[in-house]
Amino acid sequence: MADLKTTPLHALHLELGARMVPFAGYEMPVQYAIGVMKEHQHTRAAAGLFDVSHMGQVLLTGSQAAAELESLVPQSILGLDEGRQRYAFFTDSNGGILDDLMVANRGDDFFVVVNAACKEDDIAHLRSGLTLTEVTEVTDRALIALQGPAAEAALSRIVPVTDMGFMSVATLPSPFGGLWISRSGYTGEDGFEISVQEGQAEAFARALLEMEEVEPIGLGARDSLRLEAGLCLYGHDIDTTTDPVQANLTWAIQKVRRPSGSRSGGYPGDGVIGRKLSAAEVDLDDARRVGLIPEGRAPMREGVILFEAEDAALPVGRVTSGAFGPTVGHPISMGYVPARLSAVDTRLWGEVRGKRLPVRVAALPFRPATYKR
């Protein structure tokens, strides 16, 4: 643990009794005293505070920032209105996903948040691809997520956020300095992600934690919350071996960037992705990300191999994420199977500790999102 980086909230995590673990090169809280199950349930019922300061924060400045960023992602950045945010992903020449990210148009610049494990590569990728744009890594700010149905009420005691809609962004003055706020998150709940000056981060977090609705939440509950919401974890559910069509992320590619759109193509892997998007018929052997519900009580976790029949010799897919879903009350998983086996209620078999157990394909998300539209 001595070689790991820490976030500006590290001392607060220790004070709160967090169990710390290595994650993406950082020492991070996996759970607090109340445990993963109660942290998950509290976030769904009230508000949870997550330290996500390990993630990469990047500013893109310059008149060509939007156009240049469109050369690296299949999303419409030129069409992203000021004050709005969009989910995006970097792709490679084979159509594989290098990382998924959030892009916010703040008017004078674009604010990009990337995954912690990929941030060095992502920043290098941006600097290589955006030759006319200034790419600045933000290293003096923490990033805090406040998620749950009471998140708005809690944050509103500090800054006025009630008029913000889902995926909107704003920079607001506060007693803790200027806060860069987006109404978004990765739990399926209404909530916010807040970038705050490093020196004010602990005081800001303490102010929120003093509120009755707010509890600190660790990585364990963050994972089960995003899994119930059917959201991908990079390096597990998506990576360079999966393209956006296989990952069922085509909803994130706007019409203008699709093969018939006015700004189609022009990003790495556009040939592979474009052909799949425009194909008259689906390749039934191509993989698709699906939800999975084991028929028993034992979770099917990452790495479980899937078979079409209990006695089948050859596997047809694999589980990429799996856990018990505290809100839905049963085990849940995500994984990849051929498109021909991706219909809801298709019965498959997962091999757990040498035994084949039944599992059914399920619709995603496992629990409907409650974003404020």
Side-chain angles (χ1 to χ4, degrees):
M1 299 283 267
D3 296 331
L4 297 174
K5 300 175 185 177
T6 58
T7 74
L9 297 183
H10 183 263
L12 179 59
H13 297 315
L14 298 180
E15 179 185 321
L16 295 172
R19 182 160 72 88
M20 308 296 284
V21 298
F23 184 80
Y26 284 78
E27 187 178 357
M28 297 294 292
V30 69
Q31 68 177 75
Y32 296 86
I34 64 173
V36 173
M37 180 79 74
K38 288 184 178 179
E39 289 174 30
H40 179 115
Q41 293 168 334
H42 183 88
T43 304
R44 291 276 187 245
L49 185 147
F50 303 75
D51 180 7
V52 290
S53 305
H54 58 309
M55 300 184 75
Q57 302 180 64
V58 185
L59 292 176
L60 309 180
T61 309
S63 62
Q64 298 301 307
E68 287 199 307
L69 186 54
E70 275 201 6
S71 72
L72 299 182
V73 302
Q75 281 71 38
S76 172
I77 307 302
L78 285 165
L80 181 60
D81 291 338
E82 183 176 343
R84 299 294 297 168
Q85 179 173 259
R86 176 160 287 163
Y87 175 75
F89 32 79
F90 294 129
T91 49
D92 66 17
S93 59
N94 297 314
I97 300 173
L98 292 169
D99 196 13
D100 59 343
L101 55 144
M102 299 299 290
V103 181
N105 182 352
R106 307 198 311 166
D108 293 334
D109 57 32
F110 286 84
F111 179 50
V112 176
V113 177
V114 300
N115 285 301
C118 303
K119 65 181 176 182
E120 290 184 6
D121 288 341
D122 287 350
I123 292 169
H125 188 56
L126 285 165
R127 287 178 173 152
S128 175
L130 278 62
T131 58
L132 303 176
T133 299
E134 184 178 351
V135 178
T136 306
E137 181 180 7
V138 179
T139 58
D140 59 352
R141 299 182 73 88
L143 192 63
I144 293 170
L146 186 67
Q147 300 283 293
E152 179 184 271
L155 189 56
S156 291
R157 298 188 186 110
I158 298 174
V159 285
V161 294
T162 55
D163 291 337
M164 292 182 68
F166 180 57
M167 297 295 268
S168 63
V169 298
T171 298
L172 300 176
S174 81
F176 308 99
L179 302 179
W180 304 351
I181 302 174
S182 69
R183 191 155 200 162
S184 61
Y186 223 61
T187 63
E189 293 290 339
D190 182 28
F192 304 86
E193 292 193 346
I194 308 112
S195 177
V196 56
Q197 294 171 5
E198 184 178 50
Q200 294 288 337
E202 183 174 320
F204 175 64
R206 286 183 184 277
L208 289 168
L209 290 169
E210 286 173 0
M211 300 178 192
E212 184 178 358
E213 304 98 325
V214 183
E215 287 284 345
I217 311 296
L219 293 173
R222 185 168 183 250
D223 192 54
S224 58
L225 288 160
R226 69 93 194 165
L227 181 55
E228 284 189 340
L231 300 172
C232 296
L233 178 62
Y234 190 80
H236 301 261
D237 308 299
I238 51 175
D239 55 28
T240 55
T241 69
T242 54
D243 64 50
V245 177
Q246 294 170 331
N248 268 324
L249 294 175
T250 55
W251 57 267
I253 303 176
Q254 290 71 40
K255 289 182 180 180
V256 71
R257 299 305 310 277
R258 295 184 178 224
S260 60
S262 60
R263 296 201 312 280
S264 64
Y267 57 87
D270 58 352
V272 175
I273 296 168
R275 280 194 298 273
K276 290 189 177 187
L277 288 173
S278 59
E281 295 183 359
V282 173
D283 178 356
L284 296 179
D285 290 322
D286 197 26
R288 289 293 182 273
R289 180 175 62 94
V290 296
L292 298 162
I293 298 179
E295 293 185 9
R297 298 296 293 174
M300 289 189 182
R301 302 189 186 276
E302 180 180 4
V304 168
I305 301 301
L306 300 171
F307 296 84
E308 189 171 357
E310 187 174 10
D311 59 354
L314 298 176
V316 292
R318 60 189 172 89
V319 172
T320 54
S321 286
F324 182 81
T327 310
V328 297
H330 56 73
I332 53 176
S333 302
M334 290 195 299
Y336 284 83
V337 299
R340 63 183 175 83
L341 298 175
S342 64
V344 171
D345 286 334
T346 299
R347 197 183 205 206
L348 302 169
W349 298 82
E351 189 163 285
V352 180
R353 293 185 291 276
K355 185 177 181 180
R356 301 273 177 94
L357 301 175
V359 57
R360 290 189 182 273
V361 174
L364 292 172
F366 297 102
R367 176 191 180 274
T370 58
Y371 307 131
K372 181 177 178 178
R373 300 292 182 178

